[in-house]
Amino acid sequence: MALDLATLPTMDVAGRVPRLREALADAGCDGLLVTNLTNVRYLTGFTGSAALLLVTPDELVFVTDGRYRDQAALELGAGGVPAAIAVGRTSDEQRDHLQRPAKALRTIGLEAEDVTWAQQQRFADDWFPHADLVATGGVVEQLRQVKDAGEVARLEAACGIADDALATVRHRLTEGPTESEFALELEWEMRRAGAEAPSFDTIVASGPNGARPHHRAGTRRIEEGDLVVIDFGALVDGYHSDMTRTVMVGEPSATQARMYEVVQASQAAGVAAVRAGVTVKDVDEACRAVIREAGWEDLFIHGTGHGVGLDIHEAPRVSFSADATLADGHVVTVEPGVYLAEHGGVRIEDTVVVTPEGSRTLTRAPKGRDA
């Protein structure tokens, strides 16, 4: 039976802009022009492909084009977001809708990682010539890191769909499909269960291809003696799941068996380290120490994990090179791996929600090695 979104808890969309306003002073601006569509969705519930959102201390002005006039009203209304909605058929019309509320602002923040140089010049010279434009970084993304109960429920539903899809098609690994065929079957099962789409291009990496962490599923047939790395996820109401399982087809060699045992122990150590107040470096080290002890530290060639939410990769990063501290409500992955060209690769990944006492794992597919 396909997922019914109406059964999921509501999200506190209306409470997000007030929290953003509290962060504006620290960002060095009186107002913020939100151009990143994922951030617009987070703040308003709008799911379309064209929108600008001006957040001032007293007003919220949402501008889109004619395609989304009715959709914007429905989605912002459903979220209880009290925005003035304006439709501009041209860039000039959209500018005009924003200039009036912007005139009261001395400084306007721009999302530096989303605005091009050409856009910045246009905003400075034509749209907001009266104001000082300030480059901001991660103002909305910082708010997005802590998920409310409705967000966690959507993430958990996406994880459940992925769990069930893998359980349905896992037996096919012993029947000699190509990587692409198995990926397609997995994605179809997720869609059949209610996913909007896969979270990203499904990775199915068999045999020597498994030694490349982001291998694209191709025409190679899965065969006896292969380790198969399967990295995939489902998208539910805009929220992503992310999970990796590695499956052995046939009997493993001694090296393959040891690779699996080491990565499984490393991943368990990382999950056990996750809790509010722990640094992401400590979680990374918990995983890395196990692999280092096995003599394979140089073969763990990526970070341990990342945040998951409206983007498949978002803050906080879980890495030896990151500085974040985990907090209650963060949702992150833990995904160590070991990659040997002559033997393949092993990666095991779960999505977990951080709690004061530790974490709760949202991806529950068995981690057993056998197909």
Side-chain angles (χ1 to χ4, degrees), residues 111-143:
E111 296 182 295
E113 294 187 4
D114 187 68
V115 174
T116 66
W117 176 255
Q119 287 173 315
Q120 189 275 338
Q121 292 293 295
R122 186 163 62 250
F123 291 146
D125 297 340
D126 186 31
W127 288 47
F128 312 116
H130 68 284
D132 291 328
L133 301 186
V134 176
T136 68
V139 182
V140 181
E141 289 86 349
Q142 183 71 24
L143 300 178

Side-chain angles (χ1 to χ4, degrees), residues 182-184 186-187 190 198 200-204 215-217 230-233:
F182 186 80
L184 184 62
L186 188 56
E187 290 175 2
M190 290 191 290
F200 50 90
D201 289 342
T202 297
I203 295 170
V204 179
H215 169 74
R216 293 177 180 271
I230 309 162
D231 189 344
F232 68 108

Side-chain angles (χ1 to χ4, degrees), residues 44-215:
T44 67
F46 175 70
T47 64
S49 63
L52 297 169
L53 185 69
L54 181 65
V55 182
T56 81
D58 304 310
E59 292 186 80
L60 186 65
V61 182
F62 177 96
V63 178
T64 188
D65 63 38
R67 296 171 297 168
Y68 294 116
R69 180 195 63 188
D70 296 339
Q71 179 179 328
L74 286 170
E75 292 182 333
L76 272 67
V81 178
I85 300 174
V87 174
R89 292 172 297 174
T90 66
S91 177
D92 286 348
E93 287 184 3
Q94 293 178 7
R95 174 202 62 198
D96 294 344
H97 285 306
L98 292 172
Q99 279 186 329
R100 181 200 57 76
K103 284 181 179 177
L105 303 174
R106 293 172 301 170
T107 56
I108 298 174
L110 300 180
E111 296 182 295
E113 294 187 4
D114 187 68
V115 174
T116 66
W117 176 255
Q119 287 173 315
Q120 189 275 338
Q121 292 293 295
R122 186 163 62 250
F123 291 146
D125 297 340
D126 186 31
W127 288 47
F128 312 116
H130 68 284
D132 291 328
L133 301 186
V134 176
T136 68
V139 182
V140 181
E141 289 86 349
Q142 183 71 24
L143 300 178
R144 284 169 47 193
Q145 289 188 45
V146 175
K147 273 64 177 178
D148 66 28
E151 292 179 285
V152 172
R154 282 152 179 79
L155 290 162
E156 190 161 17
C159 291
I161 286 174
D163 288 339
D164 292 344
L166 181 59
T168 299
V169 302
R170 185 171 177 145
H171 71 280
R172 286 279 288 128
L173 292 170
T174 64
E175 298 172 4
T178 67
E179 295 170 342
S180 292
E181 287 169 347
F182 186 80
L184 184 62
E185 291 179 28
L186 188 56
E187 290 175 2
W188 165 245
E189 289 297 334
M190 290 191 290
R191 282 184 174 271
R192 195 168 67 86
E196 300 165 36
S199 285
F200 50 90
D201 289 342
T202 297
I203 295 170
V204 179
S206 63
N209 293 336
R212 298 193 288 272
H214 273 199
H215 169 74

